[in-house]
Amino acid sequence: MSSTDANFDPALHKHGDTHGHGSRRSYLIGFALSSVLTAIPFWLVMSDVLGDPGATSIAVIVFAVLQIVVHTICFLHVNTQAEGGWTLVAYVFTGVILLITILGSLWIMYHLNTNMMPGMMTGQASTTP
Amino acid sequence: MATIVESDTAPQDSTFYLVEQDDHDHADASPTALGFWIYLMSDALIFAALFATFGVLSTSYAGGPVPRELFDLPLVALNTAILLVSSITYGFAMLAMEEGAVRRTQAWLLVTGLLGASFVGVELYEFSELIAEGATPQRSGFLSGFFTLVGTHGLHVTVGIIWILVMVVQLGQRGLVLENKRRLLCLSMFWHFLDVVWIGVFTFVYLLGMLR
């Protein structure tokens, strides 16, 4: 641990705490935040607090995204320092591919269902030859 | 000329790389961690495909049961809590590893493994209830997508439990050697990654399913 120390901020390496591991504090903060971010969406759906499925859906998705971010930072310890930033780059890239795959599939299949197969919508066989 | 130049530079090169290797004595500096991370990211793409499939088929009930009739949210909440607690108990195992406490690391790993086993147990109970009600994977596109997505996640957790047990044995045999620390770091990423995937499952499959 001599020459590469110049690449890292020594303040991040107190009590042998390095990238890839978290401190007790980061685990406890992550756990507390995750518990809240899990409890709220379950409560919203089980008690039907908002009374509107559309608004509840959006709220639930927002809480899921927030919790994924909390897990990534507090449990997976992805940050700009770890592995010279490569874990973060790979993570962001995967996130983009993930969104393209899921949203793209839903979008295309929705349009196939509504525009290409009229028989599917009415429940009757298509009349087009 | 060429040979002189080579003999001049070769020792410098080897010294340069030796210095690098000396610095990489910590488990984190091994390329394994980054390589394993890349594996996890490709695993995430498998789940992306399964989530996309489930999303497309999520309303293809074929006249069969709908999520509102099938899902038992309190049971899903219990499973979510179990997996979340197992994430922090694995964190405690990593902290014990940092402090060099072998027995405490093994104890937290066993707690994590037991929580993982209860998660899989609850999930298998849920699956058996569904199948008993006639909601089998063959019943509709929605149920095929559901069993494939949730089952793949459950299979990952099962593999994680086996890996945890292997690590408990390896720690007993060799203690906290560099290799074991590296393996525990990879297993830590694997376990927390599965919890992240579960966030997607309980949100998009169960909670949004109940709202449809």
Side-chain angles (χ1 to χ4, degrees):
Chain A
M1 285 293 181
S2 51
S3 69
T4 50
D5 274 2
N7 299 328
F8 301 119
D9 181 0
L12 291 170
H13 293 257
K14 278 181 253 172
H15 60 271
D17 180 24
T18 50
H19 46 287
H21 309 268
S23 60
R24 186 170 297 273
R25 197 168 153 269
S26 90
Y27 279 116
L28 290 174
I29 289 174
F31 182 71
L33 283 175
S34 300
S35 305
V36 173
L37 291 172
T38 303
I40 293 175
F42 270 96
W43 172 64
L44 286 180
V45 174
M46 288 166 92
S47 314
D48 197 19
V49 183
L50 299 177
D52 172 35
T56 311
S57 302
I58 292 167
V60 162
I61 291 171
V62 168
F63 279 111
V65 171
L66 285 176
Q67 201 186 342
I68 287 172
V69 171
V70 167
H71 274 244
T72 307
I73 295 170
C74 295
F75 292 155
L76 286 167
H77 314 298
V78 173
N79 55 49
T80 50
Q81 273 88 36
E83 303 284 351
W86 284 108
T87 47
L88 181 62
V89 171
Y91 184 81
V92 171
F93 175 73
T94 308
V96 172
I97 300 289
L98 208 113
L99 287 177
I100 292 173
T101 310
I102 295 174
L103 295 179
S105 300
L106 291 177
W107 186 42
I108 291 170
M109 294 311 288
Y110 172 75
H111 281 278
L112 277 179
N113 270 338
T114 51
N115 298 332
M116 303 291 285
M117 289 186 282
M120 295 290 285
M121 294 307 290
T122 55
Q124 294 157 358
S126 171
T127 49
T128 46
Chain B
M1 275 291 271
T3 48
I4 294 168
V5 171
E6 264 180 40
S7 60
D8 273 354
T9 52
Q12 280 178 351
D13 278 350
S14 59
T15 314
F16 174 71
Y17 289 117
L18 275 174
V19 169
E20 276 285 282
Q21 279 167 357
D22 283 346
D23 286 329
H24 289 185
D25 58 345
H26 196 274
D28 289 350
S30 150
T32 310
L34 182 57
F36 193 78
W37 182 254
I38 302 297
Y39 151 69
L40 285 181
M41 293 301 101
S42 58
D43 214 9
L45 296 184
I46 293 179
F47 281 106
L50 293 176
F51 271 109
T53 311
F54 176 80
V56 167
L57 296 174
S58 59
T59 50
S60 309
Y61 304 126
V66 299
R68 202 178 274 277
E69 301 161 0
L70 290 176
F71 295 156
D72 182 13
L73 272 195
L75 200 68
V76 180
L78 171 72
N79 241 359
T80 306
I82 290 173
L83 209 58
L84 186 57
V85 172
S86 86
S87 253
I88 193 165
T89 56
Y90 198 100
F92 290 149
M94 289 301 281
L95 294 170
M97 182 197 89
E98 289 273 279
E99 291 162 20
V102 184
R103 290 274 167 245
R104 206 142 47 82
T105 311
Q106 282 177 310
W108 281 119
L109 281 178
L110 277 176
V111 172
T112 310
L114 282 174
L115 288 167
S118 359
F119 173 86
V120 175
V122 171
E123 195 165 281
L124 287 177
Y125 165 75
E126 189 199 8
F127 281 6
S128 66
E129 290 281 295
L130 289 179
I131 289 168
E133 289 169 25
T136 59
Q138 297 96 315
R139 183 63 190 83
S140 64
F142 154 68
L143 283 166
S144 304
F146 167 79
F147 276 100
T148 312
L149 173 58
V150 182
T152 305
H153 178 267
L155 209 58
H156 275 76
V157 176
T158 310
V159 171
I161 295 166
I162 295 168
W163 193 356
I164 284 176
L165 293 178
V166 168
M167 287 318 299
V168 169
V169 172
Q170 282 200 324
L171 283 175
Q173 286 174 339
R174 293 170 213 188
L176 284 167
V177 294
L178 191 64
E179 288 79 6
N180 278 348
K181 283 188 175 183
R182 195 176 62 217
R183 287 162 192 156
L184 283 173
L185 179 67
C186 289
L187 179 51
S188 147
M189 292 192 282
F190 186 71
W191 197 257
H192 294 309
F193 167 76
L194 291 182
D195 206 3
V196 172
V197 174
W198 183 251
I199 298 171
V201 173
F202 81 68
T203 302
F204 290 98
V205 176
Y206 291 102
L207 293 181
L208 293 187
M210 292 301 274
L211 292 171
R212 270 198 297 274

